Amino acid sequence: MSKILSILQIVNETVNDFTLKPKRNYTEPKIYTGGIEITKWSKYSKTEQQEALEKNWFVYFSFRNPKTGFLEKQPFIKGGVNRYKTKEERIEILETYRRNLLRILKEGYNPYDEKGTQNEIKSVKEAFAFALDIKKNMMTENSYIRFKSRIKRFEKYLEEKGYLFRFITSVEKSIVMDYLNMVLDTSSARNRNNTRTDIQTLFQVLEDNDVIASNFISKIKVLKAPPKRNKSYSENKLERIYSFLKETDPNLLLFIKFVSYNFLRPIEVCRLRVEDIDLKEQKLIVKAKNKLVKEKIIPNILMQELSFLSNYNGNDFLFTPKGIPSSWEATDDNRRDYFTKRFKEVKDLFTQKAKEGDKDYFALGKEYGIYSFRHTFITKIYREMRKTLTPFETKSRLLLITGHNTMNALEQYLRDIDAELPEDYSDLIK
């Protein structure tokens, strides 16, 4: 018996708790860099560097096959990294892949387990496409278009920062905060908050589908963002604008009258088709914000201007760039934006004329818009009814006219537009 073997036997007999270290189920992930040592990159010639970049770079590792017990090579992880043309870009992305792969291997990831955590290693591009595809079937067309637009802008930002082909788990709170701060600097707190909400929604889909462990966006605070206030028009301003539009753009005036007299939101007016106007029953049907559809009466003051509709196809949109009912391939938001810009041209003209000293015109700032006509006429009706009715009676009747869903919603709206003003209180000051 050899001396070394004798010593080992003695050790084995005296150390009762000696146990073999279990075999590792995986090798530590490594990066293949085109067959050259990346630490010596600067020592290679330009030709050698270019030859290396023309090859595929990837992360590789082996995992123990539970059936054979042997370590076996797993599919290479490229994740689009070879689209990048520089060593720095490829190494930055592949190192992120390698680090995150090692983390999930330590947490128990098993490529042979069909119920494993493979979703955790989706790239940013793959994860975003996955979540958008799910949300497309859960949202209305108009909402999805806005949602997708914000997510695509965020995706573009991540691409510029080199994240597009990294693991989705590499997108941390700091990079999201940097983006939200950029949105805040270039737009408003309200847009920043809306962007945060959409990103949170996207990440919630990823969490629900086990693509990420948790949705950290919910921990990012919502900023205070005072709501945009549309100011009501005075009687003089209202009469002058109506008179001007009657002469220069009667179609836009009719659009505004649906807002003024039927208390529709501009986007609801944009959804109206000829078939939605029932001239015989004096009613209209519109897709509303707070429910699928709603039915409203058309007041006589508006009815007398709609007889021309009988000459058009029922499927035609009531308001279009042609100035007459016709087909119009566009989203609701784009239709609304078209009329918003059209009215802005009127506002700009009024403001410019006022600056030039023309007393027939007046400045109209950002606080005035098409929505302001709705505020103006609701205030007008409220104050007229209050002359003979109690506040509760007035609001009860007004609720049927405005289309608000609840009394609380109407009361909040009336407070926001200052519909109720106090009587003179001079005697209280004396």
Side-chain angles (χ1 to χ4, degrees), residues 177-398:
M177 284 301 303
D178 287 344
Y179 178 67
L180 292 178
N181 288 336
M182 185 193 76
V183 173
L184 178 62
D185 289 340
T186 56
S187 56
S188 64
R190 182 175 183 177
N191 188 36
R192 180 267 188 196
N193 289 341
N194 289 337
T195 300
R196 172 202 167 278
T197 297
D198 284 346
I199 295 175
Q200 179 182 359
T201 299
L202 181 93
F203 273 64
Q204 190 59 50
V205 172
L206 298 178
E207 179 185 334
D208 293 344
N209 287 273
D210 297 324
V211 177
I212 59 175
S214 62
N215 182 2
F216 62 86
I217 309 297
S218 58
K219 297 179 182 179
I220 297 177
K221 293 183 178 180
V222 176
L223 301 182
K224 290 184 178 180
K228 181 182 177 182
R229 174 74 178 270
N230 285 277
K231 192 173 181 180
S232 298
Y233 295 102
S234 67
E235 194 67 31
N236 289 336
K237 284 185 172 67
L238 185 66
E239 290 180 2
R240 180 69 184 100
I241 293 171
Y242 266 46
S243 175
F244 177 82
L245 290 177
K246 185 176 181 180
E247 296 178 5
T248 61
D249 195 343
N251 183 250
L252 178 59
L253 178 58
L254 182 59
F255 183 100
I256 288 172
K257 285 181 177 179
F258 272 92
V259 177
S260 302
Y261 303 154
N262 250 119
F263 306 110
L264 301 182
R265 298 173 178 85
I267 200 165
E268 293 172 345
V269 180
C270 291
R271 294 179 183 136
L272 288 175
R273 295 178 187 265
V274 173
E275 64 186 5
D276 296 325
I277 309 297
D278 189 334
L279 297 176
K280 185 176 181 180
E281 296 293 330
Q282 201 167 323
K283 295 178 182 178
L284 65 81
I285 295 175
V286 64
K287 290 181 180 179
K289 175 184 178 181
N290 50 12
K291 51 187 174 182
L292 186 60
V293 295
K294 65 181 177 183
E295 187 177 72
K296 304 191 74 172
I297 69 162
I298 303 173
N300 289 329
I301 193 174
L302 185 57
M303 271 296 296
Q304 60 192 17
E305 299 189 44
L306 302 179
S307 59
F308 72 96
L309 293 178
S310 58
N311 299 321
Y312 293 94
N313 187 295
N315 201 43
D316 287 342
F317 282 100
L318 200 58
F319 294 97
T320 71
K322 296 179 180 179
I324 58 173
S326 67
S327 60
W328 187 8
E329 292 295 328
T331 65
D332 289 346
D333 280 345
N334 286 340
R335 293 188 186 99
R336 178 187 57 192
D337 290 346
Y338 169 80
F339 283 99
T340 297
K341 291 175 182 177
R342 195 157 143 185
F343 183 67
K344 183 178 182 299
E345 292 175 1
V346 176
K347 290 201 311 174
D348 291 345
L349 185 147
F350 267 63
T351 301
Q352 183 59 39
K353 290 282 189 180
K355 288 181 180 179
E356 293 171 357
D358 192 328
K359 294 183 179 180
D360 287 336
Y361 296 86
F362 39 81
L364 290 169
K366 292 182 179 180
E367 67 275 18
Y368 290 103
I370 293 179
Y371 213 93
S372 297
F373 290 100
R374 186 172 188 262
H375 300 338
T376 301
F377 280 87
I378 288 178
T379 300
K380 192 172 184 179
I381 290 178
Y382 179 84
R383 292 177 181 172
E384 190 63 31
M385 288 195 296
R386 276 288 287 118
K387 293 178 180 179
T388 56
L389 301 174
T390 65
F392 180 78
E393 290 171 331
T394 300
K395 285 180 281 190
S396 296
R397 289 187 60 184
L398 194 59

Side-chain angles (χ1 to χ4, degrees), residues 66-81:
K67 293 182 180 180
T68 66
F70 295 111
L71 288 169
E72 297 181 2
K73 281 188 177 181
Q74 301 300 308
F76 300 144
I77 299 173
K78 301 175 184 177
V81 70

Side-chain angles (χ1 to χ4, degrees), residues 49-110:
Q49 291 177 359
Q50 187 58 39
E51 288 177 352
L53 288 170
E54 288 175 356
K55 297 178 182 179
N56 283 328
W57 293 25
F58 49 82
V59 173
Y60 64 96
F61 74 109
S62 295
F63 200 92
R64 194 173 301 283
N65 188 320
K67 293 182 180 180
T68 66
F70 295 111
L71 288 169
E72 297 181 2
K73 281 188 177 181
Q74 301 300 308
F76 300 144
I77 299 173
K78 301 175 184 177
V81 70
N82 294 298
R83 299 176 189 176
Y84 294 93
K85 302 304 180 183
T86 67
K87 177 262 296 185
E88 289 77 15
E89 290 173 318
R90 290 189 185 184
I91 284 297
E92 182 181 3
I93 296 171
L94 288 173
E95 179 56 35
T96 302
Y97 285 175
R98 189 203 67 78
R99 185 173 60 253
N100 284 324
L101 176 58
L102 180 60
R103 177 181 65 79
I104 65 174
L105 284 169
K106 289 179 178 179
E107 291 176 355
Y109 169 67
N110 183 348

Side-chain angles (χ1 to χ4, degrees), residues 79 84 89 91-101 103-104 119-128 154-155 157-159 161-178 203 206 211-214 216-217:
Y84 294 93
E89 290 173 318
I91 284 297
E92 182 181 3
I93 296 171
L94 288 173
E95 179 56 35
T96 302
Y97 285 175
R98 189 203 67 78
R99 185 173 60 253
N100 284 324
L101 176 58
R103 177 181 65 79
I104 65 174
N119 283 340
E120 289 190 63
I121 58 173
K122 284 184 184 295
S123 69
V124 169
K125 185 177 180 65
E126 292 169 337
F128 278 33
F154 180 43
E155 185 180 280
Y157 176 82
L158 292 176
E159 181 179 11
K161 296 295 181 180
Y163 278 79
L164 193 59
F165 297 104
R166 298 187 191 183
F167 287 158
I168 183 62
T169 51
S170 68
V171 179
E172 299 175 338
K173 183 179 178 181
S174 58
I175 188 71
V176 178
M177 284 301 303
D178 287 344
F203 273 64
L206 298 178
V211 177
I212 59 175
S214 62
F216 62 86
I217 309 297

Side-chain angles (χ1 to χ4, degrees), residues 403-417:
H404 283 88
N405 209 28
T406 66
M407 181 63 78
N408 286 339
L410 175 62
E411 289 175 342
Q412 180 61 53
Y413 176 81
L414 292 173
R415 285 194 293 271
D416 289 343
I417 65 174

